[in-house]
Amino acid sequence: MEARDLVRSVKAVGSAGAAQGLRVVRAAWRRRRTAAGPSGRGAERARVPGQVRGAEPGPGGGVVRFARSELRVTVAVNGAVFWSWDGAGPEPSYALAGRRPEPDPRAVLEPDTDGGWRVVAERVTVVVSRHGAVEVRTPGGVTLRRDLPPRWWEPAGGGAARWMQRAEVAADARFFGLGGRTAGPRLRAGTYRLGNTAPGHAFVPGDDPLPLGMPVHMVVADAGTHLVFHDTPWDGTVTLREGEEGAGSGHDRAGTAETRMAGGPLRCWVVVGPPARVLHTWAALTGAPVPPPVWALGHHHALPGAVDEREVRRTVAGHREHGLPLDALHLGTGGCGADRMSAGGEECSAALPVLAEELRRGGVRLVAVVPPAVAAQPVLPEGRGGDHREAHDVYAWYVAHDGAEGTRERAPLERPFLLSRTGRAGLQRHGGAWLGEVATGWPGLRASLSSVLGLGLCGVPYSGSDVGGADGRPSPELYLRWLQMGAYLPLFRTRAGSAAGGGELWELGDEVLPHARGALLERRRLLPYFLTLAQLARRTGAPYVRPLWWGSPEDRALRDCEDAFLLGDCLLVAPVLEPAVRRRVVRLPRGRWYDTVTEEPYEGPGRVLVEAPSSRIPVLARAGAVLPVRGADGGLELEVWAPARGRTGGGTVVHDTGDGNGEPAVERYVSRWRKRAVVVERAGDGGPGGPPYPVRIRGLARP
C-alpha cells in the first residue's frame, strides 16, 4: 500500500470515524513496514567463500579454509552437527543451555573427491565441496540436505553483514516447524518471517509474521528426518518450496529452503535421526522443557482486565455450581490485575493476596498477566552496544528467562509457571507459550492446532490458544468443537465473554452445556496422563501433541495429514474442524486402534470413517496402551486397551505429586495376552509384578 492509498483510506473513513481511520492507517503502515523487512543499508559489497585453500583437523572435525572465508565443522558426541563461517563459534548463544556439547573424538576430517573435504562420524557424514557447499549424509551415504555456498552483503562503511544460504532437500521432503505458524503444520511454499511481531489483528491461517516465529525447522523425507537451527537473534526470512518427483530420479526437482538474515553470525546446527531422537538431541542443546505445575495442566479461565474481587468470586462460584472443573483463573491488566498490583494500588494490594490464598485452598490458582515493555526513557549504553534489531526478537525470551528465575528465587520449593506470548528457540526451559489473539472462526480453530504442533516440533511442548478465539462471538457449535479439541491440548484455557453468545460457560444453554461439561471432565480424568507426558517431555524433549507421522516418518500419507494428532504414544485425537460434521474420516498409523467410547476396533494404516456426534470428537486408543487416568474416587487407575493377539503393549506412569521440583518416580508397564486374559505387569529391575492400582481392561467387547 502506497502513501496515496493510505490517504484515500483516511478520506473514505470520514470525520465520524476519524479515530478508527487513524488506527487503520497505522496498522497498514505497520504491516507494510513489517513486510518490507530491513530498511535500506546503502552501498554493500557481495562476497562468497571462493575456492578451497586447505584444511586443518580439529576436535570433532576441523576447519576448511577458502579464498575469502573459512568454515568450521564439528560433530558433537550426541551426533549434532555444528558448522559456522568466518570463525564464529557456538558460543555465546542465547539458545544453548549451558556449554556446548563436547566434540566427538571419533569424528575424522579427511580429503574428499574433487578437492573437497569430509567429516566422517558414526551417525552422520558431512561433505564440504571445494566451493563451500555443505552436504549432510546418512552413514549409508544418502544426502539429506545440501547447503549451497553462502553469500554475504557487507556494508561499505562497516557494520553487520546480511547473508543468505540456500539449501536443497529431497523431492519428497516435507517442512515443519519455524515456531507457531498458522499455515501448517506442514509448511507449503512461501516466505516466512522470523521477526516476531503481531499482525495487528486476530490472526488466521496465512498471517505472517507472528509473535512465535523461530529459526528452527524440521525436514521429513523417505531418506530420514533432520532438524535445522540457524543460531542468530537477528530478523530474517525463510523461503520454502517443496520438491516434485518425476518419472525417475533424473527428473526430480529438489525441495529448497532459503534462509536470509539481516545480520549476525552464519552458524547452523543440524540434528539427524528419527523424530524422537532429533527432539531429544535438540532438548539437550537448548534445554529440557520445564514441566508446568500440576494445576497448570487442568482447566484455565481468563478474565478481562477490569475486574474486581466480586467478579472473581462470581466466576469461581459459577463453575462450582454447574459442576465445571476450574484449576486456574487468569487476571488481565487493568482493574485489580497485575499492573495495579505492581503499581501499589492499596485496595488491590490488600485484597488480592488474601483472595489468592483463599482460592488456592479451594483448588483454584490466580495467575497474573503482565505486559512487559521497554521503558520510554534514556538508558546508559549496555555491554558491547550494537543494533536494536539484534535484540528485538530475543527481548521476550530474556523476559521469560528473568521471570522464571525470579519466581524460583522467591519460591524455591515451588515449580514456576510462566507463559509467554512470544519467544525464540530455547523458550521451553523457562515455560510455555500462549498463542495470542487467534481469530474467532473455523479457520482460527485450525490455526491454533497448527501452531501447537509447530511449536512442539521446535521444542516447546506446552502451548495453546484461547477456546473460541479472541475477536468475536463463536456459534455454539464452533465453541463446543473448539472446547472439545482444547481439552486434549497442553494449555487448556477458556476466556470470559468468548463463549457462544458472549456469556460464561454455564450460560451455554441446555443443549450445549452437558457436552461442554463432558469435555472438562474428560480433561480432569486424563490429568495423570498429561502429568506423565509433561515429565517425559522434560526427559526426552518429546512434545505432548505430535503429528501422526511421529512414529512412522516414512509414511507419506501421514506426513500430509494435518487434521488429527497424537497425544503421547497412546491416543489419537481427530478434532472436528468444519461445521455440520457428525462423522469424519480419520487416517490411522499402522496397528490396531480403538474408539475410546464405542470400543470399536480399527486396523491401520489406512482411512476409516468414525462417528463424531456433537457430544464428542473422535479419540482412538492404540492397542496395548496403558494409560494412567483419574478414577471415579479421584485415585490413580490404569486404563489398558487390549493388545492384538500375539502382540504386546505398554505405557509409563510418572508420579508427579504436586508443584515441587523433586524427581518423581517412573513406572513402566507391559500389557500382553496370557491364555484368554489380558494381563498387565510392571517392567524394570525389580522384576515383573502387578500394578498397585486398579486396572480396567478395555477393547474386549468386540472381536
Side-chain angles (χ1 to χ4, degrees):
M1 180 179 287
E2 300 294 338
R4 64 176 65 91
D5 298 316
L6 293 172
V7 173
R8 292 192 190 104
S9 298
V10 174
K11 291 179 180 178
V13 168
S15 58
Q20 175 67 18
L22 187 58
R23 287 194 293 270
V24 170
V25 171
R26 286 173 176 166
W29 269 118
R30 192 180 303 115
R31 289 193 297 272
R32 183 174 184 270
R33 235 180 11 248
T34 299
S39 57
R41 297 160 54 97
E44 295 178 319
R45 293 187 297 265
R47 174 169 62 92
V48 295
Q51 288 274 2
V52 69
R53 293 291 178 83
E56 180 182 337
V63 175
V64 182
R65 293 188 173 87
F66 296 84
R68 290 178 290 276
S69 187
E70 68 177 35
L71 171 68
R72 175 188 298 185
V73 179
T74 304
V75 178
V77 290
N78 59 12
V81 177
F82 172 79
W83 76 71
S84 66
W85 290 91
D86 293 341
E91 299 168 322
S93 168
Y94 74 93
L96 297 188
R99 292 189 55 81
R100 61 176 178 173
E102 292 296 320
D104 185 351
R106 299 167 297 178
V108 178
L109 176 67
E110 59 187 31
D112 194 46
T113 59
D114 199 26
W117 294 83
R118 64 183 179 183
V119 177
V120 180
E122 180 182 6
R123 298 182 184 176
V124 68
T125 298
V126 183
V127 179
V128 181
S129 78
R130 60 192 177 96
H131 294 290
V134 181
E135 286 190 18
V136 177
R137 299 177 180 174
T138 67
V142 179
T143 299
L144 297 177
R145 183 182 190 89
R146 183 173 190 267
D147 284 77
L148 303 180
R151 183 182 296 270
W152 294 267
W153 289 269
E154 299 167 330
R162 61 188 179 95
W163 54 263
M164 179 273 286
Q165 186 156 43
R166 187 170 184 263
E168 296 178 345
V169 297
D172 65 282
R174 298 290 183 260
F175 298 100
F176 302 87
L178 292 180
R181 299 288 172 175
T182 60
R186 172 184 161 195
L187 300 175
R188 264 70 167 189
T191 298
Y192 300 88
R193 182 77 182 274
L194 296 174
N196 289 342
T197 185
H201 55 82
F203 51 83
V204 295
D207 279 339
D208 192 84
L210 294 173
L212 283 162
M214 297 181 182
V216 185
H217 67 270
M218 187 177 285
V219 183
V220 185
D222 288 356
T225 300
H226 69 275
L227 176 145
V228 181
F229 168 50
H230 287 95
D231 190 358
T232 172
W234 284 72
D235 188 6
T237 61
V238 177
T239 301
L240 303 176
R241 187 187 70 174
E242 292 181 349
E244 183 177 349
E245 293 181 299
S249 60
H251 299 279
D252 289 349
R253 176 171 59 82
T256 60
E258 182 181 280
T259 301
R260 292 177 177 264
M261 289 290 184
L266 202 175
R267 55 186 182 180
C268 180
W269 288 91
V270 177
V271 183
V272 175
R277 181 192 295 172
V278 167
L279 265 294
H280 185 260
T281 305
W282 175 242
L285 285 174
T286 60
V290 58
V294 172
W295 56 265
L297 290 167
H299 170 220
H300 300 235
H301 188 67
L303 292 174
V307 298
D308 54 20
E309 180 181 352
R310 180 172 51 188
E311 180 67 14
V312 171
R313 293 185 182 278
R314 188 188 78 85
T315 301
V316 173
H319 280 81
R320 289 175 177 168
E321 179 182 349
H322 294 87
L324 302 172
L326 179 64
D327 298 279
L329 200 60
H330 293 227
L331 301 181
T333 59
C336 276
D339 54 343
R340 288 291 300 277
M341 284 194 289
S342 61
E346 294 183 4
E347 181 181 350
C348 292
S349 297
L352 274 173
V354 175
L355 177 61
E357 181 57 31
E358 177 186 330
L359 294 179
R360 180 172 181 161
R361 290 195 298 267
V364 177
R365 303 297 183 104
L366 281 185
V367 177
V369 178
V370 181
V374 178
Q377 60 188 28
V379 295
L380 295 174
E382 297 172 355
R384 59 180 171 81
D387 194 308
H388 74 280
R389 292 174 299 169
E390 183 179 4
H392 177 272
D393 281 3
V394 294
Y395 173 75
W397 187 98
Y398 281 105
V399 170
H401 170 274
D402 292 346
E405 291 300 313
T407 303
R408 290 188 182 97
E409 290 179 6
R410 296 194 62 176
L413 299 180
E414 295 188 12
R415 193 177 302 162
F417 173 71
L418 184 140
L419 285 177
S420 181
R421 187 188 178 195
T422 183
R424 199 81 165 188
L427 175 66
Q428 71 276 0
R429 69 177 186 261
H430 309 312
W434 174 65
L435 301 181
E437 288 80 13
V438 179
T440 297
W442 294 98
L445 175 61
R446 283 184 175 270
S448 62
L449 174 58
S450 297
S451 297
V452 170
L453 282 165
L455 283 169
L457 294 176
C458 292
V460 183
Y462 183 79
S463 67
S465 67
D466 287 347
V467 170
D471 66 338
R473 295 184 176 182
S475 66
E477 181 187 16
L478 171 60
Y479 187 81
L480 181 59
R481 292 309 197 186
W482 206 318
L483 189 75
Q484 290 167 340
M485 184 184 78
Y488 296 95
L489 298 183
L491 172 62
F492 181 29
R493 191 174 103 157
T494 55
R495 66 188 286 173
S498 68
E504 292 284 3
L505 274 171
W506 57 86
E507 298 171 336
L508 287 172
D510 294 339
E511 293 186 2
V512 178
L513 180 59
H515 305 326
R517 183 185 296 112
L520 269 65
L521 291 174
E522 179 64 6
R523 175 59 172 243
R524 177 64 59 90
R525 191 182 77 91
L526 290 175
L527 183 59
Y529 185 50
F530 274 95
L531 296 175
T532 294
L533 294 178
Q535 289 293 338
L536 292 178
R538 180 175 73 89
R539 288 168 168 78
T540 68
Y544 315 1
V545 170
R546 308 164 187 177
L548 292 189
W549 49 260
W550 177 261
S552 304
E554 72 283 354
D555 189 328
R556 296 189 178 189
L558 295 181
R559 295 206 296 258
D560 293 342
C561 184
E562 302 179 281
D563 61 356
F565 60 90
L566 298 174
L567 182 60
D569 288 329
C570 298
L571 297 179
L572 188 157
V573 181
V576 173
L577 303 174
E578 297 175 345
V581 171
R582 296 298 178 264
R583 291 192 301 172
R584 61 152 293 178
V585 174
V586 179
R587 182 169 291 280
L588 299 178
R590 64 175 177 262
R592 178 174 296 176
W593 298 83
Y594 297 95
D595 186 306
T596 55
V597 173
T598 67
E599 302 192 14
E600 181 81 20
Y602 299 97
E603 296 295 331
R607 289 156 54 97
V608 297
L609 184 64
V610 297
E611 298 297 321
S614 58
S615 60
R616 62 181 178 90
I617 58 175
V619 178
L620 296 99
R622 190 190 301 271
V626 178
L627 275 81
V629 298
R630 194 170 184 261
D633 61 353
L636 184 64
E637 177 179 294
L638 297 185
E639 181 176 275
V640 181
W641 290 89
R645 290 281 184 174
R647 306 295 296 271
T648 62
T652 302
V653 178
V654 180
H655 292 274
D656 198 337
T657 57
D659 303 338
N661 298 309
E663 191 67 23
V666 179
E667 300 173 359
R668 293 179 175 84
Y669 292 93
V670 176
S671 63
R672 59 168 56 92
W673 282 94
R674 182 170 294 165
K675 296 183 179 180
R676 293 192 172 186
V678 174
V679 298
V680 180
E681 296 176 331
R682 184 169 179 172
D685 297 336
Y693 323 106
V695 175
R696 186 158 62 106
I697 308 295
R698 303 190 64 187
L700 300 177
R702 296 174 181 267

